[in-house]
Amino acid sequence: MKSIIFIAPPAAGKGTQSSRLSKEFNLEHISTGDLLREEVKKGNTELKQMMESGSLVNDDIILTILKNKLETVNDYILDGFPRNLNQAIALDEMLKQNNTKIDAVIYLDLDKETAKKRIVGRVSCPKCGNVYNTMIDGMNSKVNMICDDCKSSLVKRSDDNEETFNVRFDTYMSETAPLIEYYQNKGNLYQIDSSKNPEEVYQEIKKVLYD
Ligand code: AMP
């Protein structure tokens, strides 16, 4: 598998799963959320406000960032893109120009209440991208707020609060969920129940991708 997409509601584990998959199979992990957070760190306050509100950032911004990134990689996982139909069609166009296509779309299915619980405890490593949860057994780091792998201090995202979560979930339902049917019609979508523990979900993903 050379190009993989993740479609998932907030907190379904797309960051965790794509980070692990990218390491095991040597795929570039492209998280549009992370790319945008880098822009925010450079001082883009307009972007910061948009992200903190929980709504999607403008398609033109994200498409420019992604196009630049895709030009530098071969085998990759897209984590957080596409988020709406317009982005999915733009991606198809970009790939067609390079004579490539999406090999598999992993749809991580999760109900709203479980997603909300996960959001409240989520923390991540700013250096290596690992994601942990301080409120769910088996998902916390070994030492509280320290990354198991690179020992950096973990951080909590400013948009991981209940109010923003509700907007993000509603945005997901109205903008992103229609992509499920879009990729189902193309025949390359795999649905995975992501209410299970992260290890089980990971094994299922590997099975559908590589067995
Ligand atoms: P994520 O880390 O994927 O949950 O993304 C965090 C936030 O970044 C989202 O709530 C959006 O505001 C923004 N974002 C990330 N990816 C996209 C995208 N493909 N299109 C528009 N906005 C995005």
Side-chain angles (χ1 to χ4, degrees), residues 14 32-33 36-37 51 55-57 80-81 83 87 157:
K14 67 182 166 56
T32 45
L36 290 168
R37 280 183 282 277
M51 289 174 76
S55 51
L56 295 181
V57 309
F81 185 97
R83 282 288 234 278
Q87 292 181 7
R157 278 169 43 174

